[in-house]
Amino acid sequence: MLAWLLCLILVSEAWPVKCQYQQQQLIILAGQSNMAGRGGVTNDTRTNKLTWDGIVPPQCQPNPSILRLTAKLKWVLAHEPLHADIDVNKTDGVGPGLPFANAVLTKVPNFGVIGLVPCAIGGTNISQWRKGSSLYEQMIQRAQVALRGGGTIRAVLWYQGESDTVNLEDAKLYKERSDMFFTDLRSDLQSPLVPIIRVALASGEGPFIEIVRKAQLSSDLPNVRCVDAMGLPLEPDGLHLTTPAQVRLGEMMADAFLQSIPSSIKTTSHSHSHSPPKFPHFISYFLILPLLTHLFWMILTFRY
């Protein structure tokens, strides 16, 4: 009996090490090209094609505690470009997602494992994200798959609106349409107060940028925070944020996010460190297994 109790104690001590890595803090990334990331993407004059320079700054480096959901709905280590298999018809570069996640973990080391859910598609206007559209339904599907692992949706990062600056009517209707989008999204995620961190435009495709920016800066929905990207450096195309600008934007969004959540989430949502299991844990398994075998042998010998 003593051997059996010792066996149970050893197993119960080892088991949480395997399971603690499953709970994820989910972040949905949605919008158009500046959310998908165009940092470092420029036109190659030799080929007349858009190419990414491949430069990944320290704030965007992979982190074992930051995962991303692929187009095939599998969790992998997050790396730039985050939207490479999502925004497939465009050339993707650095976006705000990884600098956001790294900044959160730097400021709140015990935040937990972050699961990024990329959904942004370049060149899309707000009407293309309305409830029932293919983009909307795909985003909801990806969020639902992400939740199956037992995680919690902590925020939606939204950077969109450049395409709505072309037409005056679209610009004037932007506030109404975006408010409806946020309301529907929260309803379908069954999270009525999930923080939404939106970005006020730094640029636009048309002349009505200020109308859209006014709508973005004046939302009266609860727990919707706006980060102003105006003034951040742009690529030579005058539309997309540079890599340093994306890094700065991600850090700004992280600050806004952390201000929007209760302090209890920052300090108690995960009692374990956000670091993945270290090598010594795996050594313990190799030490435990022979001991368990020996204990079972003792039990059988004692009985028979």
Side-chain angles (χ1 to χ4, degrees), residues 49-89:
K49 294 182 179 179
L50 292 175
T51 59
W52 177 46
D53 60 18
I55 297 175
V56 180
Q59 300 90 334
C60 304
Q61 292 292 332
N63 183 321
S65 293
I66 305 174
L67 308 179
R68 79 174 184 97
L69 189 67
T70 69
K72 294 182 179 180
L73 306 178
K74 303 294 183 183
W75 287 110
V76 299
L77 182 69
H79 62 81
E80 299 288 5
L82 280 179
H83 282 77
D85 61 344
I86 302 297
D87 194 16
V88 294
N89 294 320

Side-chain angles (χ1 to χ4, degrees), residues 251-266:
E251 294 170 344
M252 292 164 63
M253 297 181 85
D255 288 340
F257 165 67
L258 292 174
Q259 292 170 10
S260 72
I261 61 176
S263 58
S264 59
I265 293 179
K266 303 175 191 177

